[in-house]
Amino acid sequence: MKAVALKLLSVALYERPVTLRLPFRFGAATVTRCPQAFVRVQVEIEGRRVDGASAELMVPKWFDKHPELTHEQNFEQLRQSLRSARDAYTGAGPMASAHRLHQEAGSAAIATSVAQGLPRLAAQFGPAQLDKAVADAVLKARGLGWVRGLRAGLLGDPWSPSLPLVEAASVTLRHTVGLADRLQDRDDGHDPQDGLPATLEAAIRAYGLHHFKLKLSGQIEPDRERLARIAAVLDTHAGDYRVTLDGNETFTDTDALGQHWQALQSTPALLGLLQRTLLLEQPLARKVALEQPLHALKIPVPVILDESDDSDDALERGLALGYRGISSKACKGIYRSLHSAARIARTPGLLLSGEDLTCQAGLAVQQDCLLASSLGVTHIERNGHHYVDGFGIAPAEEATAFARAHPHLYDDTAGRPHLAVRQGQIALQDLHAPGFGSSAAPLWDRLTPIL
């Protein structure tokens, strides 16, 4: 097959409020609620009209961490990014491929948003959502799933033909331990009493977890104390576990990072945990992360980029400074992940990690899981199922439709559909049907339009 020519006819933007069952703290931010964005497109392909869809949580204090901005101002930044993308994509005219549409309309949308004052990470949010929805429509038009569609070259991107794409049957879940999370059942703190695990200890019991993502605060003593407590729980309950560490830009420079790492290494209670650590994610603030080299720090685990991934040259610049990989996140765009995977495949020892933006049940978690696993990621951070109760306030008929369409991915817990996690694994076989990761759709008339 060859790339599918198309014309984007319409874009509809929506949102739905999401309330977290547990507070999610990372870096200096604590999130208890935020909206989820939904995108619906209609594409004309060879005279036929086909719909496509995507979704992503609009998490505050990740795309733009300036402390003077409120959470609502962060939400509005992402709405503006979506609006800029809608305008650019619908005005683009006929295109030779989905990737060509991304190159032309996506670049224009990002330029518009940046000119309006958005940081590039926020500016690329809208195009990332449009690209997912357009890919969904193209794949449906040809009756192919994500992996087989990429192998056939349907999107017209330059990387898929050379990538060793994987049609994975499952992926290991890497459980997030936020800075506000209760660790042991006896710990004081919020328990929603909703039939789902509310502590790290309970989550290990319920899901059979053995991979974990641990948030760092950037403060030496609090991190040493909390990581030691986490290590005690994992040593007792999690068997032969592995962890990753996430700095979330909490370190101002390499000197601060080096001192912090030396303090962790000098803590006897952390020696076992550090030996089981697979990577350290984005420790430095993005304003310095691609300016200061890491080589002299001699951190023995790979240090990778995440929030700094706001341009096509970010990974190459990072590799020159001593970084050894980068994250795949659907919120940053499918083509960014394909581009990163192709670069990483050329150099042994580099890493593409699978990270989360609190992907919610339904389109978001399905598309993100499929994207990362197709690129060879074998364990992926998943936290939407932990911080939010299933499908949240989505209508019961919508949640049921997704669960019925993907019976291996969801199960009935506490009387309602939730992501199914068994022995620390998520089953993915239901995601390989035609389209990009979903055989169900939101109830569009039950969402709030973004005008």
Side-chain angles (χ1 to χ4, degrees), residues 48-88:
R48 177 188 172 197
R49 297 188 174 196
V50 187
D51 286 351
S54 66
E56 196 76 62
L57 205 66
M58 295 194 283
V59 176
K61 290 294 179 283
W62 188 79
F63 296 93
D64 189 337
K65 295 180 180 175
H66 284 93
E68 68 273 13
L69 295 176
T70 67
H71 285 196
E72 183 54 46
Q73 287 173 317
N74 284 153
F75 303 151
E76 186 55 33
Q77 288 178 313
L78 299 179
R79 294 186 189 106
Q80 185 55 46
S81 178
L82 287 163
R83 294 184 191 108
S84 296
R86 176 183 60 194
D87 295 346

Side-chain angles (χ1 to χ4, degrees), residues 275-286:
Q275 289 171 354
R276 296 170 182 267
T277 298
L278 302 175
L279 60 87
L280 170 61
E281 180 187 351
Q282 189 78 38
L284 297 176
R286 76 190 81 159

Side-chain angles (χ1 to χ4, degrees), residues 411-424:
D411 60 15
D412 191 278
T413 306
R416 50 205 181 275
H418 293 88
L419 190 70
V421 184
R422 303 180 181 95
Q423 297 305 306

Side-chain angles (χ1 to χ4, degrees), residues 36 117 155 347 359 409:
Q36 183 177 195
L155 301 185
T347 306
C359 291
L409 187 67

Side-chain angles (χ1 to χ4, degrees), residues 216-407:
L216 299 178
S217 71
Q219 302 175 60
I220 290 177
E221 290 311 316
D223 276 347
R224 287 207 289 198
E225 187 275 335
R226 183 166 176 79
L227 289 176
R229 292 186 60 221
I230 291 172
V233 172
L234 300 185
D235 288 341
T236 302
H237 300 287
D240 187 20
Y241 66 87
R242 296 293 182 271
V243 306
T244 66
L245 303 177
D246 187 6
N248 276 126
E249 301 185 80
T250 55
F251 298 93
T252 56
D253 53 38
T254 52
D255 287 342
L257 173 60
Q259 292 171 14
H260 200 94
W261 191 265
Q262 290 175 13
L264 298 184
Q265 286 187 309
S266 67
T267 305
L270 297 181
L271 294 181
L273 183 142
L274 293 178
Q275 289 171 354
R276 296 170 182 267
T277 298
L278 302 175
L279 60 87
L280 170 61
E281 180 187 351
Q282 189 78 38
L284 297 176
R286 76 190 81 159
K287 67 180 180 181
V288 301
L290 294 179
E291 297 177 0
Q292 301 183 2
L294 303 177
H295 308 93
L297 301 182
K298 297 182 179 179
I299 294 176
V301 303
V303 184
I304 71 164
L305 296 168
D306 184 28
E307 288 96 331
S308 287
D309 188 12
D310 63 1
S311 61
D312 289 339
D313 66 347
L315 175 57
E316 205 63 51
R317 291 168 62 196
L319 295 179
L321 293 171
Y323 290 91
R324 291 171 58 191
I326 203 163
S327 67
S328 170
K329 278 183 175 175
C331 67
K332 297 188 296 186
I334 55 177
Y335 299 113
R336 184 61 54 73
S337 288
L338 292 171
H339 174 267
S340 295
R343 174 62 184 88
I344 285 169
R346 300 202 303 268
T347 306
L350 299 184
L351 297 175
L352 182 70
S353 73
E355 308 303 331
D356 202 345
L357 197 70
T358 315
C359 291
Q360 296 303 293
L363 291 172
V365 73
Q366 293 170 202
Q367 292 176 338
D368 191 73
C369 277
L370 189 54
L371 172 64
S373 65
S374 73
L375 302 177
V377 170
T378 58
H379 59 85
I380 186 168
E381 179 200 6
R382 290 277 72 108
N383 59 52
H385 67 286
H386 182 64
Y387 292 109
V388 176
D389 185 350
F391 284 77
I393 68 165
E397 55 266 41
E398 180 177 315
T400 299
F402 273 92
R404 287 176 176 171
H406 313 96

Side-chain angles (χ1 to χ4, degrees), residues 158-183:
W159 307 290
S160 297
S162 63
L163 283 171
L165 298 164
V166 180
E167 197 168 275
S170 65
V171 67
T172 295
L173 181 147
R174 187 155 32 87
H175 176 81
T176 306
V177 185
L179 293 171
D181 287 20
R182 295 167 59 217
L183 304 180

Side-chain angles (χ1 to χ4, degrees), residues 197-210:
T199 67
L200 172 59
E201 197 174 65
I204 295 170
R205 286 197 306 268
Y207 302 131
L209 303 172
H210 41 78

Side-chain angles (χ1 to χ4, degrees), residues 33-52:
R33 63 172 187 84
C34 54
Q36 183 177 195
F38 294 81
V39 175
R40 186 183 192 185
V41 302
Q42 187 172 82
V43 176
E44 183 178 311
I45 298 173
E46 297 175 350
R48 177 188 172 197
R49 297 188 174 196
V50 187
D51 286 351

